[in-house]
Amino acid sequence: MRAWILAALVHPASYIDGVSRGAASTGAPGGWLGDYLRDPAGALLALLTPVVHWLQIWWPTVTVFAVFATLAVIAERRALARRRHAALVADARQVTVLAPPVVDPAGGAALWSNLVGLLRPGWRRWWSGQPHVACEYVFSEAGVAIRLWVPGVIPPGLVERAVEAAWPGAHTRVASPAEPPLPPPSEDQRRLVIGGELRLARSEALPIRTEFDADPIRALIGAPVGLGRHEYACVQILARPVTGHRVARARRSARRVHAGASTRPVGRLLDLVTPGMKTSRPSGGRTASGALHTDPQTSLEYAAQNRAIVAKQRGSQYETLIRYAVATLLPADAGDAQLRTARDVARGRAHALAASFASYTEHNHYTRRRLRHPGLVLTDRRLGKGDLLSVNELASIAHLPVDEAIPGVQRAGARAIAPPPGIATPGPLAKPLGVSDAGHQRPVALRVQDARHHLHVIGATGSGKSTLLGNMILADAEAGRGIVLIDPKGDLVTDVLSRLPRSAGDRVVLFDADSKSRPPCLNPLDGGETDLTVDNLVSVFRRVYSAFWGPRTDDVMRAACLTLRAQEGVATLADLPKLLAEPAFRSRVTAGVTDPVLRGFWSWYEELTDSSRSQVISPLMNKLRAFLLRPFVRDAIAGGHSTVDMTSVLDGGICLVRIPKGSLGEETTRLVGSLVVARTWQATTGRARTPQRQRKDASLAIDECHNFLNLPYPIEDMLAEARGFRVAMTLAHQHLGQLPRELREGMSTNARSKVFFNASPEDARELSRHTAPRLSDHDLAHLGVYHAAVRLVLGGEEAQPFTMLTQPLPRAIPGRAREIRGLARHALQATQRARAAGTAPRQPGTQSATRPTQRPATPSGNTRPASRDSHTGSRPRSTDPRRHP
C-alpha cells in the first residue's frame, strides 16, 4: 500500500483514471464506498486530491489562518492554566506537620492513598483542572519543617485529618494564607537563589526504588546541615492524582519499553523518518536475528523490568514534579567577592540536595534540569507536566522521617487522642473545656452533674490553666450558677471582670487587695456555729504558720476566740490583741464567761507575770499584728459585721477574691484565701438543712489550691461531702511537689476529673497512672502550650483519656470591668446603708442586717446575744459558748 500511495502522489491523474477503468471492468458497486472497498488507498487519495488542489491555490491564506489559530489556542490554553492556578492559590493554606514520637513507616502510603480522593470527575477536571498538593521540606538554621501546601479549593480539614489518620499522634498547624517556601528579602537585602528541577531520566513507566533498609529521607535532611542565619533551603514535591488520558499515555510508554521502541518524542520522530530501522529487545530467549539468546542475566533483568512496570501500573498514580532551591540573604550593598562566595556555597548545597535523590535509583532514576528563576518558581507552586509515580513511589520520597535520631525535625510533643463517645459539648448544663485536637475537631465540655465529682487541674505557669478556669467561670456566670474564685495572682479575676455579662453585675462580690475602695467584710468570727467557726479559724492559722506554731499558741488563740464569741455584739480578729494585752478590755470581756474551762484559762492567764505573759502571747501577737496592719485585711476580715453571705453566693452569686501575693505577701495571702475557703465550707455544710433537690449547683475554683486548703478536715472527706451538697470544686496548682502527701492522695482519689497540662518527667510518671495506656508519661511530659490531657467523669464513671486544646477567652469588653466594679460597690454601699438603718436588701452575696436577738439574762446576771446562724436565721445560744453561737 505504501508503493500505491507513492505512485498516486507522483501521478495522481493517471492513477485515478486507472482505478476507474478497473472498477468498470469488474462490475463492482459504484460510488465512493465501492471505490474504497476495492482500493482504500485510491479512494482516500481521490478524496484528498481536490483538497490538495484547493490548498495549492489558497495556501498563503490557510497558512496565516492556521498560524493565528494555533497561537490563539496556545494563548487560550495558557490563560486557562493561569485561571486554574489562580483559583488554586486563592485562600491556599499551609499545614505544618509535627511528627509523632514514633512514626509509622506505612503512614506515607496511607496518606497519599487517602489523598487520591481529591481526584475530580472528568467534566470538572476539563473545566477547572485538577488541584495538586505540595509537600515541602523547608530548612533553616533552626532545623527542618515539613509542610503541606493545600489549595483553597480543597475543603478545610480534609488534608489535616488525612495526616493525623496516617500518622497517629501527629499534630498539624494551619496557617493561612500560605507563606513562600523561601523568605523574601527585606528592603536592605538582596536574595541569591540557586535551584533546579529533578525529572525521571528514563520512561515514566519504569519505577524508582521504593524498598530501603534505612529511611531514605535521612540523606535529604542531612544534606543542608550547617545553614547559617540567613541561609535557607527547600525541597518541593508537587503531586496531583491522575487517571484517564494521563494514565493511558503512561501505558503506551510501557508498551514501547516492552517492545524496545523509543519513548522520547525525538526518538519516535526518527523512527518515522527511518521506518526500516527498528530496535528490538530479546524476548522469549531469542535475539532480533532469531538466534538463541545465551545471556540469562539479561533475560532476568528484562523479566524484572516487566514485573516492575506491571506493579507500578497496578495502583493509583500521581503526576509529580520535584524542585529544590537554596537561598541566601545578602546585604543590598554586598560586593562581588561576597556574592561569588555565597553563590559557590549555595551551589554546593543545591548539588547536595539533588544528590540525595540518587538513593532512589533502580529501574529508573532522577536527573537534574536547570530551573530559571527558582525562587519565583517555588513560590508559585505551579504544576504543569510532570512524571508519573505510583503511591508507593511518592510515599518513599514524601513522608515523615521514620528515624528518631534525625536531628532538627519538628516533632509533636504528645499523641493526639480523640475524645470518647458521650463527651458533652458546651451548653447551659455543660462547662466548656476546649476543643479536641484529633479527628474531627469539636468542642468538649464537662457536664454540671459530672463536675460535682470535682476537677483537678495541674500545669506549669503559662500552660493554660487560667484560660481553662476563666472559660468555666464565665460559663457558670452566664448560666446563673454560684461561683467562688480565689486568685492569688490577680490576672484571672481581672480577665473575668472584663468579660462578665452586664446582667451579672448585681451578683458580684469583689475582694480586691489593690482596689482603693473599701472591700466587703467577711468576718470569720461573725455568724455560724461557734465550735465550727473557731476550729476553722485556729486551723487556718496553725497550718499557715505550722513552722512557728506550738500547742501553747494554739491553746491561747482558741480560748481567746471562744471568749470573744461569748461577748455581746460582734467580735473581730482586731479584738484579739486587745483581749490579750489590755487588762481593762480583758476584764470587761471575761466577766461574762460562764464556761468553767474558759474561766480556768483566764484565771491562769491573770496569774502570769508580765514577762511570762509576754512570752506566752508573743508568737501569736506578732502574727496578728502583721496580719492586721494591712488596711485591706483589716477592712475585709476584721471590719465588723459580715456584709457577705456565702450561702447566697452559692445560690447564685459571684464572689471574686483577688489577693495577689505581690500586694499582700505570701503568708497574708494564704491567710485571707484560707479564711474565705473556711467560710465557703461553712456555707456548704449548711446546705444539709436544704432538701437535696432544692440545692443549686455551685462552684469553688481555687488557683494554687495548696495554699488555701487549711481546714481541720481530711480533703477526701471534704470532696465527698461537697459532691453531696452540689458544690463542684476545681483545684489547680503547678506540680505535685507543692502538695503534702495526704492532700495529694486525697485529690488523686476524690477529684475524679483530671486535666493535665505540661508536667515535669517526675510528675508525668505519677500522673500517667490516670491516663495509661492511651497516654504515657512521655506524652504528659511533652504537651505543648494550651495542650492538655483530659480524663473526665462521664455519667458517674471514669471515661477514657483524650487530648484537647484550650480555647482563648472571649474578647474583653472595653469598660466592662469598671462597670462591674461600680455595680459591686453600689451593692455593698446599699447593704451598709441598710445595715445602719436596721434592714438590708435581699441580694445574692449580701448578708441580712437583722440584729441578733437578745436572750434572757443568765443566772449570773449576764446577757448574751443569740447569734444569727448563716443558714437558718436567729436562734438562741446555749450556756456553753463553745457549742453554739
Side-chain angles (χ1 to χ4, degrees):
M1 179 178 292
R2 187 176 300 175
W4 296 345
I5 294 176
L6 291 175
L9 291 175
V10 176
H11 304 288
S14 60
Y15 180 83
I16 295 174
D17 184 48
V19 170
S20 300
R21 290 195 301 270
S25 62
T26 57
W32 186 86
L33 180 59
D35 294 341
Y36 180 78
L37 293 175
R38 288 188 296 271
D39 186 6
L44 291 175
L45 183 60
L47 185 64
L48 294 175
T49 298
V51 177
V52 172
H53 288 302
W54 184 81
L55 289 175
Q56 290 175 350
I57 300 172
W58 297 98
W59 70 267
T61 304
V62 172
T63 302
V64 173
F65 178 79
V67 170
F68 277 102
T70 303
L71 294 177
V73 170
I74 294 174
E76 179 59 28
R77 287 177 62 88
R78 290 186 176 180
L80 180 61
R82 285 194 297 268
R83 288 196 299 270
R84 290 175 175 175
H85 187 68
L88 299 182
V89 173
D91 299 326
R93 60 189 182 275
Q94 181 177 281
V95 181
T96 301
V97 182
L98 303 182
V102 179
V103 177
D104 185 2
L111 171 65
W112 295 110
S113 296
N114 194 334
L115 295 185
V116 172
L118 299 177
L119 193 64
R120 290 177 167 180
W123 66 269
R124 194 173 180 187
R125 291 198 304 273
W126 175 84
W127 178 256
S128 56
Q130 172 63 42
H132 62 273
V133 177
C135 177
E136 298 175 344
Y137 298 90
V138 181
F139 304 89
S140 65
E141 183 186 19
V144 56
I146 303 174
R147 302 171 180 171
L148 292 175
W149 177 83
V150 183
V153 297
I154 296 179
L158 191 150
V159 174
E160 294 88 326
R161 300 291 83 78
V163 170
E164 295 172 358
W167 292 288
H171 291 177
T172 56
R173 296 176 180 173
V174 181
S176 182
E179 300 176 354
L182 298 175
S186 60
E187 295 180 356
D188 57 345
Q189 291 178 329
R190 59 183 299 185
R191 186 174 68 173
L192 172 67
V193 184
I194 302 295
E197 191 174 80
L198 296 178
R199 299 299 298 268
L200 290 179
R202 303 181 64 189
S203 170
E204 62 184 9
L206 294 171
I208 60 175
R209 183 181 177 185
T210 58
E211 296 182 359
F212 300 87
D213 295 331
D215 190 358
I217 294 294
R218 182 189 303 173
L220 173 62
I221 295 180
V225 170
L227 290 174
R229 180 180 179 184
H230 296 294
E231 295 178 339
Y232 306 89
C234 177
V235 174
Q236 186 180 83
I237 303 169
L238 306 170
R240 64 168 169 245
V242 294
T243 185
H245 174 72
R246 184 65 181 84
V247 175
R249 190 172 69 186
R251 290 176 178 173
R252 289 195 297 269
S253 178
R255 287 195 294 268
R256 295 190 189 98
V257 172
H258 181 74
S262 176
T263 59
R264 301 295 181 184
V266 176
R268 293 200 298 271
L269 180 60
L270 292 176
D271 288 342
L272 291 176
V273 174
T274 58
M277 300 295 296
K278 284 190 177 181
T279 59
S280 63
R281 51 174 281 184
S283 177
R286 292 186 177 275
T287 63
S289 60
L292 184 64
H293 200 287
T294 58
D295 187 0
Q297 182 65 32
T298 304
S299 298
L300 291 175
E301 290 178 0
Y302 284 134
Q305 184 172 279
N306 289 335
R307 288 193 298 270
I309 291 174
V310 173
K312 177 174 180 176
Q313 296 180 353
R314 188 177 295 128
S316 302
Q317 308 287 312
Y318 276 86
E319 189 167 17
T320 63
L321 195 58
I322 302 176
R323 299 186 180 116
Y324 62 94
V326 176
T328 303
L329 298 179
L330 300 172
D333 56 351
D336 293 340
Q338 184 179 3
L339 186 62
R340 185 165 50 254
T341 302
R343 182 180 291 108
D344 293 339
V345 173
R347 184 178 292 110
R349 297 191 187 279
H351 290 337
L353 289 175
S356 66
F357 284 85
S359 58
Y360 296 96
T361 300
E362 197 175 48
H363 298 287
N364 212 334
H365 63 277
Y366 280 103
T367 185
R368 307 177 198 176
R369 291 189 182 181
R370 185 177 179 181
L371 188 64
R372 299 183 60 185
H373 308 295
L376 297 177
V377 173
L378 264 71
T379 301
D380 195 33
R381 297 183 175 98
R382 186 188 300 271
L383 176 56
K385 293 182 179 180
D387 300 317
L388 213 63
L389 295 181
S390 65
V391 169
N392 289 334
E393 291 176 290
L394 180 57
S396 66
I397 63 175
H399 64 270
L400 296 183
V402 177
D403 193 347
E404 299 180 12
I406 296 179
V409 178
Q410 296 182 4
R411 295 189 178 273
R415 285 180 292 177
I417 305 295
I423 296 297
T425 56
L429 298 179
K431 305 180 182 183
L433 299 178
V435 294
S436 61
D437 63 334
H440 175 66
Q441 191 176 72
R442 71 174 184 88
V444 294
L446 177 63
R447 290 189 177 92
V448 172
Q449 61 180 3
D450 293 328
R452 300 169 191 163
H453 293 272
H454 314 297
L455 178 63
H456 179 199
V457 182
I458 183 171
T461 301
S463 59
K465 299 192 306 295
S466 297
T467 301
L468 173 68
L469 297 178
N471 282 320
M472 296 178 65
I473 291 167
L474 292 175
D476 283 336
E478 186 72 25
R481 292 184 286 268
I483 306 164
V484 178
L485 169 62
I486 299 176
D487 179 18
K489 299 187 182 74
D491 294 338
L492 179 55
V493 168
T494 302
D495 292 339
V496 170
L497 286 173
S498 301
R499 294 163 174 84
L500 278 175
R502 183 180 290 105
S503 58
D506 58 351
R507 298 189 286 133
V508 173
V509 176
L510 178 61
F511 292 87
D512 189 353
D514 292 332
S515 177
K516 297 181 180 180
S517 302
R518 184 181 180 88
C521 183
L522 190 65
N523 186 354
L525 289 175
D526 183 24
E529 296 186 0
T530 298
D531 284 343
L532 182 62
T533 299
V534 173
D535 283 346
N536 290 344
L537 180 59
V538 175
S539 174
V540 167
F541 273 81
R542 180 175 63 248
R543 296 200 179 204
V544 171
Y545 297 106
S546 59
F548 313 99
W549 198 269
R552 178 177 293 179
T553 305
D554 192 275
D555 187 34
V556 170
M557 184 172 185
R558 187 181 301 274
C561 290
L562 289 172
T563 302
L564 289 176
R565 287 279 299 190
Q567 72 170 327
E568 184 176 352
V570 61
T572 68
L573 285 176
D575 296 331
L576 270 178
K578 294 190 297 181
L579 178 64
L580 297 175
E582 297 181 9
F585 181 81
R586 183 169 58 251
S587 62
R588 185 171 63 253
V589 172
T590 57
V593 175
T594 59
D595 183 84
V597 177
L598 285 179
R599 293 186 64 86
F601 170 83
W602 291 114
S603 297
W604 166 81
Y605 188 81
E606 293 293 345
E607 294 174 356
L608 295 174
T609 63
D610 292 342
S611 60
S612 299
R613 189 180 299 117
S614 176
Q615 292 179 358
V616 169
I617 66 175
S618 291
L620 179 60
M621 292 291 285
N622 61 20
K623 297 172 180 58
L624 287 173
R625 288 195 185 100
F627 181 67
L628 296 172
L629 281 175
R630 301 181 183 273
F632 168 79
V633 177
R634 192 165 55 248
D635 294 337
I637 303 300
H641 280 287
S642 291
T643 59
V644 179
D645 183 5
M646 296 306 294
T647 301
S648 300
V649 170
L650 295 181
D651 287 341
I654 303 173
C655 182
L656 304 178
V657 183
R658 185 179 182 273
I659 44 177
K661 294 181 181 179
S663 301
L664 297 179
E666 184 173 355
E667 291 181 345
T668 304
T669 296
R670 293 182 62 188
L671 276 172
V672 175
S674 299
L675 293 175
V676 174
V677 172
R679 198 57 179 268
T680 304
W681 180 247
Q682 287 182 241
T684 299
T685 55
R687 288 187 162 199
R689 305 180 183 91
T690 304
Q692 186 172 9
R693 292 185 178 181
Q694 298 179 13
R695 299 170 187 166
K696 298 180 180 180
D697 280 285
S699 298
L700 170 61
I702 310 175
D703 196 9
E704 304 295 337
C705 63
H706 57 283
N707 289 320
F708 309 112
L709 296 177
N710 295 312
L711 296 179
Y713 317 106
I715 185 64
E716 55 268 21
D717 294 344
M718 292 180 59
L719 295 175
E721 292 182 29
R723 178 174 60 84
F725 295 135
R726 296 192 177 183
V727 175
M729 299 178 67
T730 301
L731 308 176
H733 62 103
Q734 296 184 29
H735 56 87
L736 293 178
Q738 296 172 317
L739 306 180
R741 183 178 60 85
E742 297 81 3
L743 183 58
R744 180 190 308 179
E745 294 176 354
M747 291 173 58
S748 176
T749 304
N750 293 281
R752 297 176 61 192
S753 293
K754 311 288 184 180
V755 176
F756 302 146
F757 290 91
N758 181 270
S760 66
E762 294 78 15
D763 287 353
R765 284 193 293 270
E766 179 76 15
L767 298 174
S768 62
R769 298 186 303 170
H770 298 283
T771 60
R774 302 192 74 186
L775 291 170
S776 64
D777 55 347
H778 177 276
D779 297 320
L780 299 183
H782 291 81
L783 291 165
V785 62
Y786 305 118
H787 190 205
V790 185
R791 195 205 66 187
L792 301 180
V793 171
L794 182 60
E797 299 180 356
E798 295 176 357
Q800 290 292 325
F802 62 95
T803 55
M804 73 169 190
L805 294 171
T806 58
Q807 290 289 84
L809 290 171
R811 186 184 298 275
I813 304 173
R816 180 55 55 85
R818 186 183 303 108
E819 183 179 1
I820 296 296
R821 288 176 183 271
L823 292 174
R825 187 164 52 251
H826 292 327
L828 175 62
Q829 293 171 355
T831 302
Q832 293 172 341
R833 288 193 299 268
R835 180 178 297 279
T839 60
R842 301 298 297 167
Q843 293 180 350
T846 57
Q847 181 167 306
S848 174
T850 304
R851 296 290 299 174
T853 58
Q854 301 292 323
R855 60 163 305 184
T858 62
S860 61
N862 297 320
T863 60
R864 284 176 291 159
S867 174
R868 184 182 61 84
D869 184 80
S870 60
H871 306 289
T872 59
S874 300
R875 66 189 188 94
R877 282 194 180 99
S878 70
T879 58
D880 186 354
R882 294 172 300 171
R883 301 189 59 84
H884 296 288

